[in-house]
C-alpha cells in the first residue's frame, strides 16, 4: 500500500512558476514509477509526466514539454513537478500517482493516486 499526498498548488499569475511535491508513505517508494496528471473542470484526466523508479528516465506530454520538469528523491520518498511559464490553460487539479508499470502514461496503468492539489493560473 502506498499513500500519496500532494502539496504546493495555489494561485499564481501567468508566467509564474510552481513546484508541486508529492510525499509517499511506505518503504517501497523506489519500486514505483511515479507520474503526474492533471484534470481541468469538465475535462478528462490528462497525463503530464512520468519518471522511472531510479529517476534516470523521464517522459513528458507534448503539451508541457519544455516547461515542466519531473524529479524524485527516493531518500525522501518524494516526487516533484516544476512548472514554469504557467498559462491559464494549466489551471487544473494536479494528481500524483504510483505505478508498477515501466513507462506508464495512461491512468489505468497507475496503482495508487493522491487526492490532488489545485493549481489556478490567472491571466
Amino acid at each position: 500500500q502506498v499513500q500519496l499526498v500532494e502539496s504546493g498548488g495555489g494561485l499564481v499569475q501567468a508566467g509564474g512558476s510552481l513546484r508541486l511535491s508529492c510525499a509517499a508513505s511506505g518503504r517501497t517508494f523506489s519500486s514505483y514509477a511515479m507520474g503526474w496528471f492533471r484534470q481541468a473542470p469538465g475535462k478528462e484526466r490528462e497525463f503530464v509526466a512520468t519518471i522511472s523508479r531510479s529517476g534516470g528516465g523521464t517522459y513528458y506530454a507534448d503539451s508541457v514539454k519544455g516547461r515542466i520538469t519531473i524529479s524524485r528523491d527516493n531518500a525522501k520518498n518524494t516526487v516533484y513537478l516544476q512548472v514554469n511559464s504557467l498559462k491559464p490553460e494549466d489551471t487544473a487539479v494536479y494528481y500524483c500517482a504510483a505505478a508498477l508499470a515501466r513507462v506508464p502514461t495512461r491512468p489505468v496503468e497507475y496503482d495508487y493516486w493522491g487526492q490532488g492539489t489545485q493549481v489556478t493560473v490567472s491571466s
Side-chain angles (χ1 to χ4, degrees):
Q1 187 81 10
V2 177
Q3 293 184 328
L4 304 172
V5 179
E6 302 95 335
S7 62
L11 175 64
V12 63
Q13 288 189 333
S17 298
L18 280 176
R19 189 174 83 153
L20 307 181
S21 299
C22 174
S25 66
R27 295 173 291 178
T28 59
F29 178 71
S30 60
S31 298
Y32 293 87
M34 299 298 296
W36 285 94
F37 288 75
R38 65 186 182 184
Q39 189 165 18
K43 294 189 176 181
E44 292 187 353
R45 194 163 295 192
E46 174 191 23
F47 168 76
V48 175
T50 186
I51 188 166
S52 64
R53 300 167 188 176
S54 67
T58 57
Y59 184 78
Y60 298 94
D62 288 342
S63 60
V64 301
K65 201 173 292 183
R67 296 192 298 119
I68 285 183
T69 303
I70 188 171
S71 61
R72 68 189 294 164
D73 185 339
N74 285 346
K76 296 182 178 180
N77 281 11
T78 303
V79 61
Y80 305 97
L81 190 73
Q82 178 70 39
V83 188
N84 300 322
S85 303
L86 280 157
K87 306 175 182 179
E89 51 264 43
D90 292 320
T91 295
V93 177
Y94 284 70
Y95 298 89
C96 75
L100 291 172
R102 290 189 62 185
V103 188
T105 61
R106 299 177 298 154
V108 69
E109 295 178 294
Y110 284 81
D111 304 286
Y112 301 100
W113 291 84
Q115 293 300 306
T117 185
Q118 176 72 47
V119 172
T120 303
V121 184
S122 62
S123 56

